[in-house]
Amino acid sequence: FRSKMILDGQVGVEDAQWSSPEIRDKLAALSRHAQGEPANEEAGSSVSDLHGDFRLEKGVVAFRKLSFGVPGAQLNLEGKYDIRESKLDFNGFVRLQAKLSQTVSGKKSFFLKAIDPLFSKNGAGTQLPITITGTRQAPTLGVSVFHKMIKKQLGGSDKEQKPGEKR
């Protein structure tokens, strides 16, 4: 049934509050850093908005526009999600309210001030190209800095699980 269904649509969620404490903590941390207050545990919020245009065909959801935001950060993406294999393949930009040097503290902040102007674009304190790949259970976030891709796995395991295998 999923492989035969074709659907064009839009999705919109305002002021979403996540049930998973782990996701709430990660989104609040993103929000804190994006607002330029990485050390302030009281800053940041996990309340988020999601909007997008999509087409579902042959078990693959193609997003033409997908935006996701928390206070201080906005991700604008396009790409695909394969429902059958839970595979993600997105690319776009993340825009932060804070300058790059404000997203960290200490010595790192001092050294990043020199390159802040290179990442301040289109009215954002920082704008970086990003990718989100991998699977829904173990997504990998990639950020391109000076033509070098820095990747970080956000969850799960690097190892592919085989049918019948327990984790």
Side-chain angles (χ1 to χ4, degrees):
F1 173 73
R2 283 188 254 172
S3 64
K4 293 182 181 183
M5 182 173 17
I6 298 174
L7 178 66
D8 283 305
Q10 296 179 328
V11 62
V13 179
E14 300 279 333
D15 298 327
Q17 298 194 29
W18 298 84
S19 59
S20 164
E22 183 178 293
I23 291 175
R24 282 195 311 263
D25 290 346
K26 286 182 180 184
L27 290 174
L30 168 64
S31 178
R32 265 194 310 280
H33 287 267
Q35 292 178 46
E37 299 189 44
N40 182 356
E41 291 294 322
E42 299 299 315
S45 171
S46 64
V47 176
S48 52
D49 295 332
L50 174 75
H51 299 278
D53 297 333
F54 67 90
R55 179 176 180 88
L56 169 63
E57 186 172 1
K58 297 181 181 176
V60 176
V61 183
F63 288 92
R64 296 177 289 273
K65 291 182 193 175
L66 183 63
S67 67
F68 177 80
V70 293
Q74 183 71 35
L75 285 83
N76 296 306
L77 304 166
E78 59 182 39
K80 296 180 180 180
Y81 174 65
D82 186 321
I83 294 172
R84 295 167 297 203
E85 298 182 23
S86 294
K87 288 190 177 179
L88 305 162
D89 186 13
F90 291 93
N91 61 70
F93 291 90
V94 61
R95 294 172 50 86
L96 307 178
Q97 173 184 320
K99 293 179 180 178
L100 192 59
S101 63
Q102 295 171 324
T103 65
V104 294
S105 57
K107 292 178 185 177
K108 290 180 186 177
S109 177
F110 175 77
F111 290 111
L112 288 174
K113 285 183 184 191
I115 61 171
D116 275 343
L118 300 173
F119 296 99
S120 295
K121 297 179 183 168
N122 303 320
T126 303
Q127 180 173 304
L128 296 168
I130 63 167
T131 62
I132 301 173
T133 57
T135 64
R136 184 176 62 85
Q137 296 82 9
T140 299
L141 175 65
V143 178
S144 181
V145 180
F146 298 123
H147 304 289
K148 180 180 179 182
M149 184 62 69
I150 301 166
K151 293 184 177 185
K152 179 177 181 179
Q153 188 155 4
L154 301 177
S157 168
D158 290 326
K159 182 179 160 193
E160 187 175 306
Q161 185 175 2
K162 296 183 174 114
E165 181 182 24
K166 292 184 180 180
R167 284 195 184 169

